[in-house]
Amino acid sequence: MATEQEKNRYSDEELQEFKAVILEKLEVAKSNYDQLMARIQADESKNSFNMLEEGASTMVQEEASQRAARQQDFINKLQAALVRIENKTYGVCRVTGKLIPKGRLMAVPHATLSVEGKEIEQQRKNKR
């Protein structure tokens, strides 16, 4: 049986295992996003006439908007990972072309870089 380093892609069974993890994370992420958006919309509908209160409310609303944007970015990355699973390219480092270790993908299921690939990319950025 080939080791992870010798294989060029994960098996269909392994891809389904990753898919289950991603779908679970996606469900939680969408729920968190919906809660953030509901809070933002509720805050927008409140009318406050106290300037001090309004400033604090604006800051809280901006923070919630930033969290919602990060959550939407995370959702997009998870959805892209699902596309890679369907294309059977999931888990392949986009820099080295080698398989990303299973442990890394379980921790960061939307990863597109192995640790080695991430280091190479960082070195390229530092040379600019």
Side-chain angles (χ1 to χ4, degrees), residues 5-22:
Q5 293 305 317
E6 295 169 343
K7 296 189 320 185
N8 61 1
R9 78 169 191 88
Y10 283 104
S11 70
D12 291 346
E13 293 79 24
E14 289 168 313
L15 291 175
Q16 290 309 307
E17 188 179 336
F18 290 126
K19 185 176 183 176
V21 169
I22 291 168

Side-chain angles (χ1 to χ4, degrees), residues 76-111:
N76 292 342
K77 288 177 180 177
L78 290 173
Q79 289 172 332
L82 289 174
V83 170
R84 290 192 304 278
I85 285 175
E86 294 305 313
N87 294 338
K88 300 186 184 204
T89 59
Y90 179 82
V92 178
C93 177
R94 62 183 166 81
V95 171
T96 65
K98 298 176 186 174
L99 281 186
I100 300 170
K102 197 171 191 176
R104 175 162 169 73
L105 290 172
M106 286 300 192
V108 186
H110 59 284

Side-chain angles (χ1 to χ4, degrees), residues 108-119:
V108 186
H110 59 284
T112 60
L113 295 170
S114 62
V115 172
E116 179 186 0
K118 205 169 174 99
E119 289 170 354

